[in-house]
Amino acid sequence: AEWLDRGCTSLDGQPPPAINAWVAGQLLPPTQGGAGTQCVAGTFTGTYSAFVGRHLSALADLGTVLLLYLLGRRLGRGPADRRNDDRSRNAEITGLLAMALGAVTALMIQQAHFYTVDSAATFFTILTGYFSVRAGQAAIDAHAPWLDLALAGLATGLATACKVSSALVAGLVALGGVAWVLRRLRWAAGPPPSAGEVTLTRSLQHTATPRGGLQALTRILPALMLAALLALIAFRIGQPYAFEGPGFLGIRPSREWFARLSQISEEQSGVLDYPSGRQWTNRWPLVFPWTNLVVWGMGLPLGLAAWAGWGMIGLQLLKGEDRHLVPWTWTTLVFAFQSTRWVKAMRYFLPLYPFMILFAAHTLVRLLARRRESLSEQKGRKQPHPANLVLVAIIIGGSALWGAATFGIYLRPHTRIAASRWVYANVPPGSTVANEHWDWGLPLRIDGRDGFGGDMGFTGLELQLYHEDTPEKREQLLEWLAQANYIFLASNRLYGSIPRLPDRYPLTIAYYRALFAGRLGFELAAEFTSYPQLGPLAFPDQENPFPLMPAGVSTQGDLIHIPMPPAEESFSVYDHPDCLIFRKGPEYDQAEVAAILNAVDLNQVAIGQHPHEATPTSVLLAHDIVFYAGIGLVVLVWWEFLRHQTWI
């Protein structure tokens, strides 16, 4: 950002460097009139810093797509001592198909648009996976795969510098080392290799003995220690805020940084009762994140193919096939871990998406490789079964269509911007408008207009609905409703999460139910949505526990809405939230509104009820069961895998 700022200003009276000025001009957004935004000092370090971050995020995602090709080809070919022409051809197809599927994956597209850490962390995660797989497939000579493990260690440190939870990628490096040791021991127990299969720089003893295993470990452990050291160095460079300094050698941990980590840990476990964390109340482990991944993050065609591939590769491992041992083991363990945490945000699973896409590509290529008997066999040819061709075409085409449906969100105005423009055009100046706390208020300051100043002069109210349901809150709510001419709901952040605590918020739930049904004397003047859309089909993705009255204006009201399980809040709340604008009608009756809200018994309200307390014991117990079941599954697969190794 500072480099780009130098393209906006002159130094010592000299014109800015041409390359800086050109790149800065390309990144600046156009104004409403079509002309470029003025480039001045502080443009990129201040006003438009997000443009820098979003471009970097998009570049990181492009890197992930490229690595999908490289890793898919590497996994398809397998170790150097088992290559053949058919496998090389299928490996090339696997890599290309994985790259194509990654380019149209919905969640990867969405996160590439965000100035957040997730796309960058995912890039370094799959980079770690690539070098770890290379290490596991390296030549089984007397030398350990030092270079591959060293590069994997560097990538691990950079992934962790992006996001601390990415430290889990260290497991990929360790698995790469274990895979190399297993291949070495298996080769040592078998007959000597035939000419051309593998080149050894030194002779190996063809006997699997405890001494041979110890020799393999003594060769791999120093390489793994080097990887760990390089990971720490990369983390020191990439995350300087974690250290007190001064200078590079000042490696004393920062108390402030680690205190913030401790707070984040409490948020992730649900120990801290933050309003933004109440959405996770009573969320089933495994089921909720699996649904979000399959239905929304990937789309049904790719999501189901990915999990079918995961199952198929698991069966191959049970039979002793080791090509996908490293990514399958890591993906299974991390999914079991993430899906049993209190916070199950979709973006936390993004580092798993590339590996799941690889599993899908592997499965599709295997389907195409299955041949059928036909008349062409007489001419020495076999063709893929037509049913397999159709299935593969449906999965690839369906994945592309779902990616296009999600990408369409960015071809339409952001719903908060569309709602704000409607407000400026239709809400009378001087109106009293109510917005909810813990959310962005409407209207936004756009097109040179400010709803709470200038020619509009709105009076703003803040509805503090996360506060406890008390008689005082009821009186305050009645006062707000009496004053407000309009109620703006800029997302489902509150009305999607508050109903998950019915004993704590009976009054607020009754308010929402009556508001959405039109019983409070407010009509739904406008609804602005931007759901994923394919032609006349829209796919509502936002959780709304209450039936909603028809809107006077609806951006997607004339489309066919396909019922789908609601997505996790963060999938929609940032780039396409459902914005609702309620207008007080002439039938508003304060006495009738008071009767509706006074009918709620507040004597039994669970004041301060913790989300853990509102979650059934069976759900909390399921978290532990699923986590240990995931570990047990991996142990079972490894046990059966090792049983097929000749040196056991």
Side-chain angles (χ1 to χ4, degrees), residues 60 70 614 621:
L70 297 175
L621 182 61

Side-chain angles (χ1 to χ4, degrees), residues 284-462:
W284 278 93
L286 187 65
V287 176
F288 182 72
W290 187 92
T291 301
N292 278 283
L293 187 151
V294 171
V295 176
W296 299 108
M298 288 187 168
L300 285 171
L302 178 57
L304 294 176
W307 282 101
W310 173 85
M312 178 181 291
I313 290 172
L315 293 175
Q316 292 172 359
L317 291 173
L318 290 173
K319 298 176 182 178
E321 170 61 55
D322 65 348
R323 270 190 293 165
H324 294 83
L325 181 66
V326 172
W328 187 93
T329 301
W330 186 82
T331 299
T332 304
L333 287 175
V334 173
F335 184 82
F337 174 78
Q338 293 287 15
S339 66
T340 54
R341 301 304 92 192
W342 177 255
V343 177
K344 306 174 183 67
M346 288 177 65
R347 62 189 178 91
Y348 292 179
F349 294 83
L350 188 66
L352 303 182
Y353 275 59
F355 298 106
M356 297 299 296
I357 290 169
L358 287 166
F359 299 159
H362 171 77
T363 302
L364 297 180
V365 171
R366 282 183 65 91
L367 284 175
L368 291 176
R370 290 186 177 181
R371 308 295 180 176
R372 69 183 181 94
E373 301 292 333
S374 67
L375 294 176
S376 62
E377 185 183 6
Q378 300 174 1
K379 300 180 181 181
R381 299 192 303 271
K382 292 183 180 179
Q383 299 176 346
H385 195 284
N388 291 349
L389 282 173
V390 171
L391 180 59
V392 170
I394 290 174
I395 293 173
I396 296 175
S399 302
L401 288 174
W402 186 251
T406 304
F407 187 75
I409 292 170
Y410 306 104
L411 303 179
R412 298 186 289 269
H414 193 289
T415 49
R416 288 194 181 97
I417 292 177
S420 297
R421 288 177 175 152
W422 187 93
V423 168
Y424 287 129
N426 294 277
V427 175
S431 297
T432 300
V433 301
N435 282 286
E436 297 181 321
H437 68 168
W438 286 89
D439 206 353
W440 288 276
L442 296 176
L444 304 178
R445 294 183 178 90
I446 59 170
D447 304 336
R449 307 191 70 178
D450 183 352
F452 300 92
D455 60 330
M456 301 307 293
F458 295 147
T459 299
L461 299 175
E462 185 181 60

Side-chain angles (χ1 to χ4, degrees), residues 535-548:
L537 305 179
F539 302 90
D541 57 355
Q542 297 175 50
E543 188 169 14
N544 183 358
F546 312 104
L548 185 62

Side-chain angles (χ1 to χ4, degrees), residues 68 101 296 336 601 617:
L68 273 170
L101 293 173
W296 299 108
D601 183 8
T617 304

Side-chain angles (χ1 to χ4, degrees), residues 236 240-258:
R236 175 66 183 92
Y241 306 105
F243 304 91
E244 293 284 358
F248 179 77
L249 297 180
I251 58 175
R252 177 181 298 174
S254 167
R255 293 182 180 179
E256 181 182 356
W257 193 80
F258 279 93

